[in-house]
Amino acid sequence: MCGIVGYIGHREAYPIIIKGLQRLEYRGYDSAGIALYDGSDIKLSKTKGKVVDLKDKLESEISTIGSLGIGHTRWATHGVPNDVNSHPHYSNSGDLVIIHNGIIENYDALKKELIKRGYVFKSDTDTEVLVNLIEDVKRNEDIKLGKAVQIALNQVVGAYAIAVFDKNKPNEIVVARLGSPLAIGIGEDEFFIASDASPFIEFTKNAIYLEDEEMAIVRRGKEVKIRKIKNDALVDPYVQELQLNLEQIEKGGYDHFMLKEIYEQPEAIKDTFRGRLLSKEAMVKLAGVEDNMKKFLAADRIIVVACGTSWHAGLVSEYIFEDLARIPVEVEYASEFRYRNPVITEKDIVIAISQSGETADTLAAIKLAKSRGAFVFGVCNVVGSSIARETDAGAYTHAGPEIGVASTKAFTTQITVLTLMALRLARAKGTISSSEFRHHLIELELIPDKVEEALKSDAFVQTISDIYKDATNFLYLGRGFNFPVALEGALKLKEISYIHAEGYPAAEMKHGPIALIDEQMPVVVIATKKGHYEKVVSNIQEIKSRKGKIIGIVTKGDKSVKELADHVIEVPETIECLTPLLTTIPLQLLSYHIAVMLGKNVDQPRNLAKSVTVE
Ligand code: G6P
């Protein structure tokens, strides 16, 4: 993972880089560092900890002057997070300095070779190997930095987004990408480099996104030159106009991004179906599906590949696609799928779901599926991301930037897109009547208001959070469409409060988890009116007789669960397949409040990162 930022131009680089790193902290936050060129030498400061720790240390350690610089916020892969392993890394001569996001897989062999040639290593990182390899090539062949980077990268196996500069040529930064994102912001006589556009959004709306296996020489006052790393071919830069704005990436009065994003869900869901859900015309329009309708109709099955919360959205979609469109669905962890020898045929449709569009395992699963002839459809949030580009077609979720590491609005908007797809296919296949179809559209259109209503439980959820915040274990139960919601609720709690939680299909409880239930165990049970209600009520009785503490997520007006449960949180009524969009809201709030009460870092939980670009 890791976030990288660079600047070369006419302004002071430091404020841009430090602020940029803060915006990229979602990518990793175990250590950080910055290298600046002050007009005569490189000044470098780095530390274990967050960007704010770096800021304090750096400002007391070095001068912050300079209009060229690079910075890094790390999520450790090679070497524990400490000051020495933090980036940037110098080459042995001290002439070159580099930042790197990714993994150099053959670093050990390269390192041994370099040690034989007299190189000395201070850190345990693969990155220090790369910068010395570049130095070695440059020195032996007496060539410019750009060429040396290119030759070195051709010897490297792995993934990277890098930025490197030479203190003897302080007018250029060389950048390259393979597998990890890298954007170049184009200003007036100035350039910005970053893992995504958020660090430079207030300076320019024009950006180039490097493709895999491309490198660029970013020279002060000159045009950006892009080349293919493998064959040196020049590439015409494609400058995109960014849609992002500053407001979207700030907290806007909320204490945390996670809370802001939870509250953004009514709008985000509306944005997802805007122009696609046409209830008056009784139509669903999704260009990616429409253009490939023949393939969808001929498909034997759908295989969903995803990770984390996106995988949970995929699991919800299994129920929806099968129920509405009668297409068999398999939902796969991308990390497992990519290393199996899965049976994939040309009659399979693979749907890859990813908020970031950068998850390495999902990307690899897509490549595998494509190589075996499947048609791959992407459901991504980040426009122009690697997965969005790698897939044959797709539909964006349009949720806006999601910055809190624990995914919230990405989940509900993914379910919204997948529901629209299922409805469109159901209509085309004739597996749903026109009146049912119309009814589903009307119900889906009402969801944003119902999410708004569900959010009103916030204060009550806060009270419940206070009662259970010291529990060491939680159980989450749900059935049918709400079984994946139980998994997602448990994941949210684990991620940000570090309380152990398990999600289970309610009926499976008796095959194991029931042994855990005693008076200490809070059990969150999703028991909405539609969908196996009586069966779930029986499950609740089983918990009650073992003295478990029951928190029921129920349909407004519910009476039976209220009599049995210790607490009930109401959500508005809707049709069964849409209940996950509502039941998930109190679960997000529950994990949020517990984490806040326990004093945890909600937006940047330990050991996690938002965008997992390593396998
Ligand atoms: C990380 C994030 C999760 C996310 C998962 C998949 O683990 O912390 O919130 O669900 O990656 O990410 P994606 O961007 O592919 O949805």
Side-chain angles (χ1 to χ4, degrees), residues 307-310 353-357 359 405 407 414 495 609-610 612:
C307 304
T309 290
S310 297
I353 310 173
S354 174
Q355 187 287 129
S356 63
T359 303
V405 166
S407 191
Q414 285 164 348
E495 280 180 308
K610 182 94 191 134
V612 183

Side-chain angles (χ1 to χ4, degrees), residues 9-82:
H10 45 80
R11 300 175 208 254
E12 286 299 317
Y14 173 66
I16 297 168
I17 295 173
I18 198 90
K19 203 191 251 175
L21 289 180
Q22 267 158 347
R23 289 190 191 151
L24 290 181
E25 263 191 316
Y26 73 87
R27 304 181 62 83
Y29 34 79
D30 58 40
S31 47
I34 291 179
L36 299 164
Y37 180 73
D38 71 356
S40 56
D41 207 351
I42 297 170
K43 294 283 181 300
L44 189 151
S45 178
K46 52 190 190 174
T47 187
K48 177 178 179 210
K50 299 228 152 55
V51 176
V52 65
D53 304 314
L54 171 70
K55 191 168 185 291
D56 292 344
K57 186 175 180 221
L58 185 144
E59 289 173 15
S60 67
E61 225 172 53
I62 61 169
S63 128
T64 60
I65 290 171
S67 57
L68 161 61
I70 54 177
H72 188 269
T73 177
R74 181 168 187 245
W75 187 87
T77 56
H78 287 69
V80 292
N82 61 26

Side-chain angles (χ1 to χ4, degrees), residues 243 248 264-276 285-287 354-355 379-384 394-402 409-410 412-414 416-417 420:
Q243 301 302 322
Q248 288 175 302
E264 277 174 349
Q265 289 176 107
E267 273 312 303
I269 294 171
K270 264 188 217 159
D271 289 343
T272 305
F273 62 57
R274 180 162 299 125
R276 293 164 159 177
K285 271 193 184 167
L286 283 163
S354 174
Q355 187 287 129
V379 173
C380 293
N381 189 35
V382 177
V383 176
Y396 284 116
T397 48
H398 297 308
E402 190 182 67
K409 63 176 179 173
T412 44
T413 54
Q414 285 164 348
T416 304
V417 163
L420 286 172

Side-chain angles (χ1 to χ4, degrees), residues 235-249:
V235 176
D236 266 349
Y238 169 58
V239 182
Q240 285 189 32
E241 198 179 321
L242 301 168
Q243 301 302 322
L244 194 67
N245 62 51
L246 198 55
E247 220 173 68
Q248 288 175 302
I249 56 168

